[in-house]
Coordinates of all heavy atoms in Angstrom, one line a residue:
M1 N 17.2 -18.1 1.3 CA 16.0 -17.2 1.4 C 16.2 -16.2 2.6 O 16.6 -16.8 3.7 CB 14.8 -18.0 1.6 CG 13.5 -17.3 1.8 SD 12.1 -18.1 2.1 CE 11.8 -18.7 0.4
T2 N 16.0 -15.1 2.4 CA 16.2 -14.1 3.5 C 14.9 -13.6 4.0 O 13.9 -13.2 3.2 CB 16.9 -12.7 3.0 OG1 18.2 -13.2 2.5 CG2 17.2 -11.8 4.0
F3 N 14.6 -13.6 5.2 CA 13.3 -13.2 5.7 C 13.5 -11.8 6.3 O 14.5 -11.5 7.1 CB 12.8 -14.1 6.9 CG 12.5 -15.5 6.3 CD1 13.3 -16.4 6.4 CD2 11.2 -15.6 5.8 CE1 13.0 -17.8 5.9 CE2 10.8 -16.9 5.3 CZ 11.7 -18.0 5.4
Q4 N 12.5 -10.9 6.1 CA 12.6 -9.5 6.6 C 11.6 -9.4 7.8 O 10.5 -10.0 7.6 CB 12.3 -8.5 5.6 CG 13.4 -8.3 4.6 CD 13.1 -7.2 3.6 OE1 12.3 -7.4 2.7 NE2 13.5 -6.0 3.8
T5 N 12.0 -8.8 8.8 CA 10.9 -8.4 9.8 C 10.8 -7.0 9.8 O 11.7 -6.2 9.5 CB 11.5 -9.0 11.2 OG1 12.7 -8.4 11.5 CG2 11.5 -10.5 11.2
F6 N 9.6 -6.7 10.1 CA 9.1 -5.2 10.0 C 8.5 -4.8 11.4 O 8.0 -5.6 12.1 CB 8.1 -4.8 8.9 CG 8.7 -5.1 7.6 CD1 8.4 -6.3 6.9 CD2 9.7 -4.3 7.0 CE1 8.9 -6.6 5.6 CE2 10.2 -4.5 5.7 CZ 9.8 -5.7 5.0
T7 N 8.6 -3.6 11.7 CA 7.9 -3.0 12.9 C 6.5 -2.9 12.6 O 6.1 -2.8 11.4 CB 8.5 -1.6 13.4 OG1 8.2 -0.6 12.3 CG2 9.9 -1.7 13.6
P8 N 5.6 -2.8 13.6 CA 4.1 -2.6 13.3 C 4.0 -1.3 12.5 O 3.1 -1.2 11.6 CB 3.6 -2.4 14.7 CG 4.4 -3.2 15.6 CD 5.8 -3.0 15.1
E9 N 4.8 -0.2 12.7 CA 4.7 1.1 12.0 C 5.0 0.8 10.5 O 4.4 1.3 9.6 CB 5.6 2.1 12.6 CG 5.2 2.6 13.9 CD 5.7 1.7 15.1 OE1 6.5 0.8 14.8 OE2 5.3 1.9 16.2
Q10 N 6.0 -0.1 10.3 CA 6.4 -0.3 8.9 C 5.3 -1.1 8.1 O 5.0 -1.0 7.0 CB 7.7 -1.0 8.8 CG 8.9 -0.2 9.3 CD 10.2 -1.0 9.2 OE1 10.2 -2.0 9.8 NE2 11.2 -0.4 8.7
Y11 N 4.7 -2.1 8.8 CA 3.6 -2.9 8.3 C 2.5 -2.0 7.8 O 1.8 -2.1 6.8 CB 3.0 -3.9 9.2 CG 3.8 -5.2 9.1 CD1 4.5 -5.7 10.2 CD2 3.8 -6.0 8.0 CE1 5.2 -6.8 10.2 CE2 4.6 -7.1 7.9 CZ 5.2 -7.6 9.1 OH 6.0 -8.8 9.0
L12 N 2.1 -0.9 8.6 CA 1.1 0.0 8.3 C 1.5 0.9 7.1 O 0.7 1.2 6.2 CB 0.9 0.9 9.6 CG -0.4 1.9 9.4 CD1 -1.7 1.2 9.0 CD2 -0.6 2.5 10.9
Q13 N 2.8 1.3 7.1 CA 3.3 2.1 6.0 C 3.2 1.3 4.6 O 2.9 1.8 3.6 CB 4.8 2.4 6.3 CG 4.9 3.4 7.3 CD 6.4 3.7 7.8 OE1 7.2 3.0 7.2 NE2 6.6 4.5 8.7
I14 N 3.6 -0.1 4.8 CA 3.5 -0.8 3.6 C 2.0 -1.0 3.2 O 1.7 -1.0 1.9 CB 4.1 -2.3 3.9 CG1 5.7 -2.2 4.0 CG2 3.6 -3.3 2.8 CD1 6.3 -3.4 4.6
D15 N 1.1 -1.2 4.2 CA -0.3 -1.3 3.7 C -0.7 -0.1 3.0 O -1.6 -0.2 2.1 CB -1.1 -1.5 5.0 CG -2.6 -1.6 4.7 OD1 -3.0 -2.7 4.2 OD2 -3.3 -0.6 5.0
I16 N -0.4 1.2 3.4 CA -0.8 2.4 2.8 C -0.2 2.4 1.4 O -1.0 2.8 0.4 CB -0.3 3.6 3.7 CG1 -1.1 3.6 5.0 CG2 -0.5 5.0 2.9 CD1 -0.6 4.6 6.1
A17 N 1.0 2.0 1.3 CA 1.5 2.1 -0.1 C 0.8 1.1 -1.0 O 0.6 1.2 -2.2 CB 3.0 1.7 0.0
N18 N 0.5 -0.1 -0.5 CA -0.3 -1.0 -1.1 C -1.6 -0.6 -1.7 O -1.8 -0.6 -2.8 CB -0.6 -2.3 -0.4 CG 0.5 -3.2 0.0 OD1 1.7 -3.1 -0.7 ND2 0.4 -4.1 0.9
S19 N -2.4 0.1 -0.8 CA -3.6 0.8 -1.2 C -3.4 1.9 -2.3 O -4.3 2.0 -3.1 CB -4.3 1.3 0.1 OG -4.5 0.4 1.0
F20 N -2.3 2.5 -2.2 CA -1.9 3.5 -3.3 C -1.8 2.9 -4.6 O -2.1 3.5 -5.6 CB -0.8 4.3 -2.8 CG -0.6 5.5 -3.8 CD1 -1.5 6.6 -3.7 CD2 0.4 5.4 -4.8 CE1 -1.3 7.6 -4.7 CE2 0.6 6.4 -5.7 CZ -0.2 7.6 -5.7
G21 N -1.3 1.7 -4.7 CA -1.1 1.0 -6.0 C 0.2 0.4 -6.1 O 0.7 -0.1 -7.1
L22 N 1.0 0.3 -5.1 CA 2.4 -0.2 -5.1 C 2.6 -1.7 -4.6 O 3.7 -2.2 -4.2 CB 3.4 0.7 -4.2 CG 3.4 2.2 -4.7 CD1 4.2 2.9 -3.8 CD2 3.9 2.2 -6.1
D23 N 1.4 -2.4 -4.6 CA 1.4 -3.8 -4.1 C 2.2 -4.7 -4.7 O 2.4 -5.9 -4.2 CB -0.2 -4.2 -4.0 CG -0.8 -4.1 -5.2 OD1 -0.8 -3.1 -5.9 OD2 -1.5 -5.2 -5.6
K24 N 2.7 -4.5 -5.9 CA 3.5 -5.4 -6.7 C 5.1 -5.1 -6.5 O 5.8 -5.8 -7.0 CB 3.2 -5.4 -8.1 CG 1.7 -5.8 -8.5 CD 1.4 -7.2 -8.1 CE -0.1 -7.4 -8.6 NZ -0.9 -7.9 -7.6
E25 N 5.2 -4.0 -5.9 CA 6.7 -3.5 -5.6 C 7.3 -4.2 -4.5 O 6.7 -4.8 -3.7 CB 6.7 -2.0 -5.4 CG 6.1 -1.2 -6.5 CD 7.0 -1.3 -7.8 OE1 8.2 -1.6 -7.8 OE2 6.3 -1.0 -8.9
D26 N 8.7 -4.2 -4.4 CA 9.5 -4.7 -3.3 C 9.1 -4.0 -2.0 O 8.7 -2.8 -2.1 CB 10.9 -4.7 -3.6 CG 11.4 -5.6 -4.6 OD1 10.7 -6.6 -4.9 OD2 12.5 -5.5 -5.2
W27 N 9.3 -4.6 -0.9 CA 9.1 -4.0 0.4 C 9.9 -2.6 0.6 O 9.3 -1.6 1.0 CB 9.5 -4.9 1.5 CG 8.8 -6.3 1.5 CD1 9.5 -7.5 1.4 CD2 7.4 -6.7 1.7 NE1 8.5 -8.4 1.5 CE2 7.3 -7.9 1.6 CE3 6.3 -5.7 1.9 CZ2 6.1 -8.6 1.7 CZ3 5.1 -6.4 1.9 CH2 4.9 -7.9 1.9
D28 N 11.1 -2.7 0.2 CA 11.9 -1.4 0.3 C 11.4 -0.3 -0.5 O 11.4 0.9 0.0 CB 13.3 -1.7 0.0 CG 14.0 -2.7 1.0 OD1 13.4 -2.9 2.0 OD2 15.1 -3.4 0.4
V29 N 10.8 -0.5 -1.7 CA 10.3 0.5 -2.6 C 9.0 0.9 -1.9 O 8.9 2.2 -1.8 CB 9.9 -0.1 -4.0 CG1 9.1 0.8 -4.7 CG2 11.2 -0.5 -4.6
R30 N 8.2 0.2 -1.3 CA 7.0 0.6 -0.6 C 7.4 1.5 0.6 O 6.8 2.7 0.8 CB 6.1 -0.5 -0.2 CG 5.6 -1.4 -1.4 CD 4.9 -2.6 -0.9 NE 5.1 -3.7 -1.7 CZ 4.5 -4.8 -1.6 NH1 3.5 -5.0 -0.8 NH2 4.8 -5.9 -2.3
L31 N 8.3 1.1 1.3 CA 8.6 1.9 2.5 C 9.3 3.2 2.1 O 9.1 4.1 2.7 CB 9.7 1.0 3.4 CG 9.0 -0.1 4.1 CD1 10.1 -1.0 4.8 CD2 8.0 0.4 5.2
A32 N 10.1 3.2 1.0 CA 10.7 4.5 0.5 C 9.7 5.3 0.0 O 9.8 6.6 0.2 CB 11.7 4.1 -0.5
W33 N 8.7 4.9 -0.7 CA 7.6 5.6 -1.2 C 6.9 6.3 -0.1 O 6.5 7.5 -0.1 CB 6.5 4.8 -2.0 CG 5.5 5.6 -2.4 CD1 5.3 6.3 -3.6 CD2 4.2 5.8 -1.8 NE1 4.2 7.0 -3.7 CE2 3.4 6.7 -2.6 CE3 3.7 5.4 -0.5 CZ2 2.1 7.1 -2.1 CZ3 2.4 5.8 -0.2 CH2 1.6 6.7 -1.1
F34 N 6.6 5.5 1.0 CA 5.8 6.1 2.2 C 6.6 7.3 2.8 O 6.2 8.4 3.0 CB 5.5 5.1 3.2 CG 4.8 5.7 4.3 CD1 3.4 5.7 4.2 CD2 5.3 6.2 5.5 CE1 2.6 6.3 5.3 CE2 4.7 6.7 6.5 CZ 3.3 6.9 6.5
E35 N 8.1 7.0 3.0 CA 8.9 8.1 3.5 C 8.9 9.3 2.7 O 8.8 10.4 3.2 CB 10.3 7.4 3.6 CG 11.3 8.4 4.2 CD 11.0 8.6 5.8 OE1 10.6 7.6 6.4 OE2 11.4 9.6 6.3
E36 N 8.9 9.2 1.4 CA 8.9 10.4 0.5 C 7.6 11.1 0.5 O 7.5 12.3 0.2 CB 9.2 9.9 -1.0 CG 10.6 9.5 -1.1 CD 10.9 8.8 -2.5 OE1 9.9 9.2 -3.4 OE2 11.9 8.1 -2.7
N37 N 6.5 10.3 0.7 CA 5.1 11.0 0.6 C 4.4 11.2 1.9 O 3.2 11.6 1.8 CB 4.3 10.0 -0.4 CG 4.8 10.1 -1.8 OD1 4.6 11.1 -2.5 ND2 5.5 9.1 -2.2
Q38 N 5.0 10.9 3.0 CA 4.1 11.0 4.3 C 3.7 12.3 4.6 O 2.7 12.4 5.3 CB 5.0 10.3 5.5 CG 6.2 11.0 5.9 CD 6.8 10.4 7.0 OE1 6.2 9.8 7.9 NE2 8.1 10.4 7.1
E39 N 4.3 13.3 4.0 CA 3.8 14.8 4.5 C 2.6 15.1 3.6 O 2.0 16.1 4.0 CB 5.0 15.7 4.4 CG 6.2 15.5 5.1 CD 5.8 15.4 6.6 OE1 5.1 16.3 7.1 OE2 6.3 14.6 7.4
N40 N 2.4 14.5 2.4 CA 1.2 14.8 1.6 C 0.3 13.7 1.2 O -0.3 13.7 0.3 CB 1.8 15.5 0.3 CG 2.6 14.6 -0.5 OD1 3.2 13.7 -0.1 ND2 2.6 14.8 -1.8
L41 N 0.0 12.9 2.2 CA -0.8 11.7 2.1 C -2.2 12.2 1.7 O -3.0 11.5 0.9 CB -0.8 10.8 3.3 CG 0.5 10.1 3.5 CD1 0.5 9.4 4.8 CD2 0.9 9.1 2.3
D42 N -2.8 13.2 2.3 CA -4.1 13.7 2.1 C -4.2 14.0 0.6 O -5.4 13.9 0.0 CB -4.4 14.9 2.9 CG -4.6 14.4 4.5 OD1 -5.1 13.3 4.7 OD2 -4.4 15.4 5.3
D43 N -3.3 14.6 0.0 CA -3.3 15.0 -1.4 C -3.4 13.9 -2.4 O -3.7 14.0 -3.5 CB -2.1 15.9 -1.7 CG -2.1 17.1 -1.0 OD1 -3.1 17.7 -0.4 OD2 -1.1 17.7 -0.8
L44 N -3.1 12.7 -1.9 CA -2.9 11.5 -2.7 C -4.1 10.5 -2.7 O -4.2 9.6 -3.5 CB -1.6 10.7 -2.4 CG -0.3 11.4 -2.5 CD1 0.8 10.5 -1.9 CD2 -0.1 11.8 -3.9
V45 N -5.1 10.8 -1.8 CA -6.3 9.9 -1.7 C -7.0 9.8 -3.1 O -7.2 8.6 -3.3 CB -7.2 10.5 -0.7 CG1 -8.5 9.7 -0.6 CG2 -6.7 10.5 0.7
A46 N -7.1 10.8 -3.8 CA -7.8 10.6 -5.1 C -7.1 9.9 -6.1 O -7.7 9.4 -7.0 CB -8.4 12.1 -5.6
K47 N -5.9 9.8 -6.0 CA -4.9 9.2 -6.9 C -4.8 7.7 -6.6 O -4.2 6.9 -7.4 CB -3.6 9.8 -7.0 CG -3.7 11.3 -7.5 CD -2.3 12.0 -7.6 CE -2.5 13.4 -8.0 NZ -1.2 14.2 -7.7
A48 N -5.2 7.3 -5.4 CA -5.0 5.9 -4.9 C -5.8 4.9 -5.8 O -6.9 5.2 -6.2 CB -5.2 5.8 -3.4
D49 N -5.2 3.7 -5.9 CA -6.0 2.6 -6.5 C -7.1 2.2 -5.6 O -8.2 1.9 -6.2 CB -5.0 1.4 -6.7 CG -4.0 1.4 -7.9 OD1 -4.2 2.5 -8.6 OD2 -3.3 0.5 -8.1
E50 N -7.1 2.3 -4.5 CA -8.1 1.9 -3.5 C -8.3 3.1 -2.5 O -7.7 3.0 -1.4 CB -7.7 0.6 -2.6 CG -7.5 -0.7 -3.5 CD -8.8 -1.2 -4.1 OE1 -10.0 -0.8 -3.4 OE2 -8.9 -1.9 -5.0
P51 N -9.0 4.2 -2.9 CA -9.0 5.5 -2.1 C -9.6 5.3 -0.7 O -9.1 5.8 0.3 CB -9.9 6.3 -2.9 CG -10.0 5.7 -4.3 CD -9.7 4.5 -4.2
A52 N -10.5 4.4 -0.6 CA -11.1 4.2 0.8 C -10.2 3.6 1.8 O -10.0 3.9 2.8 CB -12.6 3.5 0.7
M53 N -9.5 2.5 1.3 CA -8.6 1.7 2.0 C -7.3 2.7 2.3 O -6.8 2.6 3.5 CB -8.1 0.4 1.4 CG -9.2 -0.6 1.3 SD -9.9 -1.0 2.9 CE -8.5 -1.7 3.7
F54 N -7.0 3.4 1.3 CA -5.8 4.3 1.5 C -6.1 5.3 2.7 O -5.3 5.6 3.5 CB -5.5 5.1 0.1 CG -4.3 6.1 0.2 CD1 -3.1 5.5 0.1 CD2 -4.5 7.3 0.4 CE1 -2.0 6.4 0.1 CE2 -3.5 8.2 0.4 CZ -2.2 7.7 0.3
F55 N -7.3 5.9 2.6 CA -7.7 6.9 3.5 C -7.8 6.3 4.9 O -7.2 6.9 5.9 CB -9.1 7.5 3.2 CG -9.6 8.5 4.1 CD1 -9.2 9.7 4.1 CD2 -10.6 8.2 5.1 CE1 -9.6 10.7 5.1 CE2 -11.0 9.2 5.9 CZ -10.5 10.4 5.9
A56 N -8.3 5.2 5.0 CA -8.5 4.4 6.4 C -7.1 4.1 6.9 O -6.9 4.2 8.1 CB -9.2 3.1 6.2
G57 N -6.0 3.7 6.0 CA -4.7 3.4 6.5 C -4.1 4.7 6.9 O -3.4 4.8 8.0
V58 N -4.3 5.8 6.2 CA -3.8 7.1 6.7 C -4.3 7.5 8.0 O -3.5 8.0 8.9 CB -3.9 8.1 5.6 CG1 -3.5 9.5 6.1 CG2 -3.1 7.8 4.3
Q59 N -5.6 7.3 8.1 CA -6.2 7.7 9.4 C -5.6 6.9 10.6 O -5.3 7.4 11.7 CB -7.7 7.6 9.3 CG -8.4 8.6 8.5 CD -8.0 10.0 8.7 OE1 -8.1 10.5 9.8 NE2 -7.5 10.7 7.6
A60 N -5.4 5.6 10.3 CA -4.8 4.7 11.3 C -3.4 5.1 11.6 O -3.0 5.1 12.9 CB -4.8 3.2 10.8
W61 N -2.6 5.5 10.6 CA -1.3 6.0 10.8 C -1.2 7.2 11.8 O -0.4 7.3 12.6 CB -0.7 6.3 9.5 CG 0.7 6.9 9.4 CD1 0.9 8.3 9.2 CD2 1.9 6.4 9.9 NE1 2.3 8.6 9.5 CE2 2.9 7.4 9.9 CE3 2.4 5.1 10.3 CZ2 4.2 7.1 10.2 CZ3 3.6 4.9 10.6 CH2 4.6 5.9 10.6
R62 N -2.0 8.1 11.5 CA -2.1 9.3 12.2 C -2.4 9.0 13.8 O -1.8 9.6 14.6 CB -3.1 10.3 11.8 CG -2.6 10.9 10.3 CD -3.2 12.2 10.2 NE -2.7 12.8 9.0 CZ -3.3 12.7 7.6 NH1 -4.5 12.4 7.6 NH2 -2.6 13.2 6.7
K63 N -3.3 8.1 14.1 CA -3.7 7.7 15.4 C -2.6 7.1 16.0 O -2.2 7.4 17.2 CB -4.9 6.8 15.4 CG -6.2 7.5 15.1 CD -7.3 6.6 15.1 CE -8.3 6.8 16.2 NZ -9.5 5.9 16.1
A64 N -1.8 6.2 15.2 CA -0.8 5.4 15.9 C 0.4 6.4 16.2 O 1.0 6.2 17.2 CB -0.3 4.4 14.9
K65 N 0.7 7.3 15.3 CA 1.7 8.4 15.7 C 1.4 9.2 16.9 O 2.4 9.7 17.5 CB 1.9 9.3 14.4 CG 2.7 8.6 13.3 CD 3.2 9.6 12.4 CE 4.2 10.5 13.0 NZ 5.2 11.1 12.2
Q66 N 0.3 9.4 17.1 CA -0.2 10.0 18.3 C -0.3 9.3 19.6 O -0.6 9.6 20.6 CB -1.6 10.8 18.2 CG -1.5 11.9 17.2 CD -2.9 12.4 16.8 OE1 -3.9 11.9 17.4 NE2 -2.9 13.5 16.0
G67 N 0.1 7.9 19.4 CA 0.1 7.0 20.6 C -1.3 6.4 20.9 O -1.4 5.8 22.0
E68 N -2.3 6.7 20.0 CA -3.6 6.0 20.2 C -3.7 4.6 19.7 O -3.0 4.3 18.7 CB -4.7 6.9 19.6 CG -4.6 8.4 20.0 CD -5.8 9.3 19.2 OE1 -6.7 8.6 18.8 OE2 -5.4 10.3 19.1
P69 N -4.5 3.9 20.4 CA -4.6 2.5 19.9 C -5.5 2.6 18.6 O -6.3 3.4 18.5 CB -5.4 1.8 21.0 CG -6.1 2.9 21.7 CD -5.1 4.1 21.6
I70 N -5.1 1.6 17.7 CA -5.9 1.5 16.5 C -6.5 0.0 16.4 O -5.9 -0.8 16.9 CB -5.1 1.9 15.3 CG1 -3.9 0.9 15.1 CG2 -4.6 3.3 15.3 CD1 -3.2 1.1 13.8
T71 N -7.6 -0.1 15.6 CA -8.1 -1.3 15.3 C -8.1 -1.6 13.8 O -8.7 -2.6 13.5 CB -9.6 -1.4 15.9 OG1 -10.3 -0.4 15.2 CG2 -9.7 -1.2 17.4
Y72 N -7.4 -0.9 13.1 CA -7.3 -1.1 11.7 C -6.4 -2.3 11.4 O -5.3 -2.5 11.9 CB -6.5 0.2 11.1 CG -6.3 0.1 9.6 CD1 -7.4 0.3 8.7 CD2 -5.1 -0.3 9.1 CE1 -7.1 0.2 7.3 CE2 -4.9 -0.3 7.7 CZ -5.9 -0.1 6.8 OH -5.7 -0.2 5.5
G73 N -6.9 -3.2 10.7 CA -6.2 -4.4 10.3 C -5.7 -4.2 8.9 O -6.4 -4.1 8.0
I74 N -4.3 -4.4 8.9 CA -3.6 -4.4 7.6 C -4.0 -5.6 6.7 O -4.3 -6.7 7.3 CB -2.1 -4.2 7.6 CG1 -1.4 -5.3 8.2 CG2 -1.8 -2.9 8.4 CD1 0.1 -5.4 7.9
S75 N -3.9 -5.5 5.4 CA -3.9 -6.8 4.6 C -2.8 -6.9 3.7 O -2.4 -6.0 3.0 CB -5.4 -6.6 3.8 OG -5.3 -5.6 2.8
L76 N -2.3 -8.1 3.7 CA -1.2 -8.4 2.9 C -1.5 -9.7 2.1 O -2.0 -10.7 2.8 CB 0.2 -8.7 3.7 CG 0.8 -7.4 4.3 CD1 2.0 -7.9 5.2 CD2 1.1 -6.4 3.4
D77 N -1.4 -9.7 0.8 CA -1.8 -10.8 0.1 C -0.7 -11.8 0.1 O 0.5 -11.5 0.0 CB -2.1 -10.4 -1.4 CG -2.7 -11.4 -2.2 OD1 -3.1 -12.4 -1.7 OD2 -2.7 -11.3 -3.5
A78 N -0.9 -13.1 0.1 CA 0.1 -14.1 -0.1 C 0.7 -14.1 -1.5 O 0.1 -13.8 -2.5 CB -0.5 -15.4 0.1
T79 N 2.0 -14.3 -1.7 CA 2.7 -14.3 -2.9 C 2.9 -15.8 -3.3 O 3.6 -16.6 -2.5 CB 4.1 -13.6 -2.7 OG1 3.8 -12.4 -2.2 CG2 4.7 -13.6 -4.0
A80 N 2.4 -16.2 -4.4 CA 2.6 -17.4 -5.0 C 2.2 -18.5 -3.9 O 2.9 -19.5 -3.7 CB 4.0 -17.8 -5.4
S81 N 1.1 -18.3 -3.4 CA 0.6 -19.2 -2.2 C 0.4 -20.6 -2.5 O 0.6 -21.5 -1.9 CB -0.6 -18.6 -1.5 OG -1.7 -18.5 -2.4
G82 N -0.1 -20.9 -3.9 CA -0.3 -22.2 -4.4 C 0.9 -23.0 -4.4 O 1.0 -24.1 -3.8
A83 N 2.1 -22.4 -4.9 CA 3.3 -23.1 -4.9 C 4.0 -23.3 -3.4 O 4.5 -24.3 -3.2 CB 4.3 -22.3 -5.8
Q84 N 3.7 -22.3 -2.7 CA 4.1 -22.5 -1.3 C 3.4 -23.6 -0.5 O 4.1 -24.3 0.1 CB 4.0 -21.0 -0.6 CG 4.9 -20.0 -1.0 CD 4.5 -18.6 -0.5 OE1 3.5 -18.5 0.2 NE2 5.3 -17.7 -0.6
L85 N 2.1 -23.6 -0.8 CA 1.4 -24.7 -0.2 C 1.8 -26.2 -0.7 O 1.9 -27.1 0.1 CB -0.1 -24.5 -0.2 CG -0.6 -23.4 0.5 CD1 -2.2 -23.2 0.0 CD2 -0.6 -23.6 2.0
L86 N 2.0 -26.3 -1.9 CA 2.5 -27.4 -2.5 C 3.9 -27.8 -2.0 O 4.1 -29.0 -1.7 CB 2.6 -27.5 -3.9 CG 1.3 -27.5 -4.7 CD1 1.4 -27.3 -6.3 CD2 0.5 -28.8 -4.4
S87 N 4.8 -26.9 -1.6 CA 6.1 -27.2 -1.1 C 6.1 -27.7 0.1 O 6.9 -28.5 0.7 CB 7.1 -26.1 -1.3 OG 6.6 -25.0 -0.5
V88 N 5.1 -27.2 1.0 CA 4.9 -27.6 2.3 C 4.4 -29.1 2.4 O 4.8 -29.9 3.3 CB 3.9 -26.7 3.1 CG1 3.5 -27.3 4.5 CG2 4.4 -25.3 3.3
M89 N 3.6 -29.5 1.5 CA 3.0 -30.9 1.3 C 4.1 -31.7 0.9 O 4.3 -32.9 1.2 CB 1.9 -30.9 0.5 CG 0.7 -30.1 1.1 SD -0.8 -29.7 0.0 CE -1.2 -31.1 -0.9

């Protein structure tokens, strides 16, 4: 099993992609989507699966890029958490 570690910026990018509707895609796909679309995020708000969360994530991204502190908490859903919990037990 390979574990990936991400920077705080990448976690925020993944969260924005998730809110857009890419929450079932691989991490690399989400990061690539963000890279391709970061210049026109405002134009994508209405197309997002979760427009309010998408907009909030974009606003947090802009603040972070300017070096401002943010209080936006990203959300990542557990994957197959039931099976994972059983394996721990």
Side-chain angles (χ1 to χ4, degrees):
M1 177 183 284
T2 303
F3 292 99
Q4 286 184 281
T5 56
F6 299 105
T7 66
E9 292 83 7
Q10 288 173 314
Y11 276 117
L12 188 50
Q13 293 170 359
I14 290 169
D15 180 74
I16 292 168
N18 287 350
S19 297
F20 186 74
L22 302 174
D23 53 312
K24 305 290 189 238
E25 300 294 335
D26 289 338
W27 304 116
D28 294 339
V29 171
R30 298 178 217 193
L31 290 169
W33 177 89
F34 184 88
E35 184 69 30
E36 292 171 16
N37 291 285
Q38 67 179 324
E39 299 302 322
N40 63 331
L41 293 172
D42 288 331
D43 299 334
L44 299 174
V45 173
K47 297 177 185 174
D49 283 358
E50 300 288 338
M53 293 303 296
F54 182 83
F55 179 77
V58 170
Q59 296 307 306
W61 170 253
R62 290 205 174 106
K63 284 178 122 180
K65 283 197 62 151
Q66 293 175 357
E68 297 178 35
I70 61 171
T71 58
Y72 177 80
I74 66 162
S75 65
L76 293 176
D77 191 15
T79 304
S81 58
Q84 291 171 351
L85 291 173
L86 284 174
S87 69
V88 169
M89 296 167 39

